[in-house]
Amino acid sequence: MDSTTASPPRYFELDPATLDTEQRRIFEDIGRPRAGQVPAPFHIYVESPELAATAQAVGAFCRYRTGLSPRLSETAILTTAAYWGAAYEFGVHAGEARKAGVPEAEIAALEAGRRPDFDDPDAALVHDFAAAVYRHREVPDELFEAAVARFGRRTVVELTGLLGYYSMLAIALRVFRVPPPA
């Protein structure tokens, strides 16, 4: 998974001292719950403060307040990062997935672009739903109905939003050639 090339760099970490008042406020708001650390996508987005603030709000919901457990959310995020080849996103969320209980074999399979041999049928369902979106730009009726039966329509809406949000981040990470985390 490679999101960098030999071309000139497009990504750089912002220096808060160089930001205008609105940018600095958003930058600090994003860093506050993260002990001052601002993730790479927001070093990109804060150049457009309104986009950064909106993305931050959507991201906080998608990451922490959907009907999915952390393990299922991280499975969906890793599936998304692998699809887009977003090495930074995959690297960050592999660590989060481990904390959420995603088995190492599942993380390794996703990183290699393979469907894991899931030990949790809910994780398999989330992955297969996400993979269908990316592979076919569609979710077959049977898979959609299985997801709604298992998680409820509201959580399927939230899963769909999570896939869109993390795809948005992955696209920015690819466009700006953000390297994997150290």
Side-chain angles (χ1 to χ4, degrees):
M1 181 174 323
D2 179 24
S3 63
T4 61
T5 67
S7 299
R10 296 178 180 173
Y11 171 75
F12 53 88
E13 289 192 2
L14 297 173
D15 176 355
T18 66
L19 302 177
D20 67 32
T21 304
E22 186 179 9
Q23 290 172 320
R24 189 174 307 108
R25 182 184 59 77
I26 298 296
F27 193 85
E28 290 170 357
D29 286 349
I30 292 167
R32 193 168 295 111
R34 298 175 175 94
Q37 299 300 311
V38 175
F42 292 100
H43 281 269
I44 297 166
Y45 291 142
V46 86
E47 292 188 57
S48 171
E50 187 175 0
L51 176 59
T54 304
Q56 168 67 3
V58 172
F61 175 82
C62 287
R63 181 92 184 275
Y64 302 112
R65 297 194 311 271
T66 71
L68 298 169
S69 69
R71 179 178 176 177
L72 298 180
S73 290
E74 292 302 332
T75 297
I77 294 165
L78 290 180
T79 301
T80 301
Y83 170 78
W84 287 105
Y88 175 89
E89 187 170 55
F90 198 96
V92 168
H93 283 279
E96 294 301 313
R98 288 180 188 98
K99 291 178 201 171
V102 177
E104 196 62 43
E106 292 177 16
I107 295 168
L110 289 168
E111 187 171 28
R114 297 188 319 271
R115 183 187 187 278
D117 182 18
F118 290 100
D119 64 0
D120 176 0
D122 287 349
L125 182 56
V126 165
H127 171 271
D128 293 348
F129 187 98
V133 168
Y134 298 131
R135 189 176 312 117
H136 306 294
R137 291 158 188 54
E138 172 63 77
V139 176
D141 290 341
E142 184 176 306
L143 183 55
F144 180 84
E145 291 164 11
V148 169
R150 174 62 188 103
F151 303 121
R153 189 173 176 92
R154 178 180 180 156
T155 299
V156 171
V157 168
E158 294 168 349
L159 170 59
T160 304
L162 182 147
L163 298 176
Y165 174 75
Y166 281 95
S167 288
M168 180 184 84
L169 295 183
I171 291 166
L173 293 165
R174 292 293 311 226
V175 167
F176 287 90
R177 300 179 182 142
V178 178

